[in-house]
Amino acid sequence: MNSNPVGWFEIYVEDMPRAQAFYESVLKVSLESLEDPSADKPQGAFSMMTFPSDMEHYGASGALVHMEGAPVGKNSTLVYFACEDCAVEAGRVVDAGGVLEKEKMAIGEYGFIALAIDTEGNMIGFHSQA
């Protein structure tokens, strides 16, 4: 492997407007609509809202995805969002409709993490060095 191990992520959601509002509120970002890559799907069966990204720098970008038939909230992959201080984003979770699962905690020389459940039942993480 000659590059970062993660090239993209997707978080499956049931209610796109609700999920979009949660992530925009907690992360203080604006998500953008991505065109349906499959024209043969029925209208509304598939939608994506992408996170801001800079493909020239370290890390992966990704999207919220609504796809009929794709289960939400029961995955075994945990996405950690990079933060300056993960306590800040964790502090916005409840007001945005989510559940704070684990407040900011130290993980030794690797910094700090906090864990949350989004409005769709997905567990997500926040990571910072401070």
Side-chain angles (χ1 to χ4, degrees):
M1 187 178 317
N2 294 327
S3 64
N4 297 322
V6 176
W8 182 259
F9 68 85
E10 294 179 349
I11 300 172
Y12 286 85
V13 303
E14 195 166 60
D15 184 325
M16 183 62 80
R18 178 179 65 197
Q20 179 181 355
F22 173 83
Y23 283 94
E24 288 180 340
S25 178
V26 170
L27 299 175
K28 297 297 181 202
V29 297
S30 293
L31 279 64
E32 295 183 18
S33 181
L34 189 67
E35 275 190 45
D36 186 343
S38 56
D40 63 335
K41 300 262 188 207
Q43 185 77 6
F46 184 89
S47 61
M48 294 179 83
M49 296 298 294
T50 62
F51 290 88
S53 64
D54 180 350
M55 301 309 256
E56 299 299 316
H57 290 90
Y58 175 78
S61 188
L64 299 179
V65 179
H66 169 76
M67 185 177 348
E68 298 218 1
V72 302
K74 294 178 179 69
N75 61 4
S76 61
T77 301
L78 185 54
V79 174
Y80 283 87
F81 290 94
C83 310
E84 291 292 320
D85 178 353
C86 63
V88 172
E89 286 76 6
R92 297 179 188 137
V93 168
V94 173
D95 286 343
V99 175
L100 187 59
E101 190 74 13
K102 187 79 162 170
E103 291 186 16
K104 180 179 178 179
M105 66 179 221
I107 55 170
E109 67 184 278
Y110 302 105
F112 300 85
I113 63 166
L115 300 174
I117 307 292
D118 72 8
T119 56
E120 308 305 295
N122 297 302
M123 182 175 284
I124 57 171
F126 306 106
H127 175 263
S128 61
Q129 289 298 324

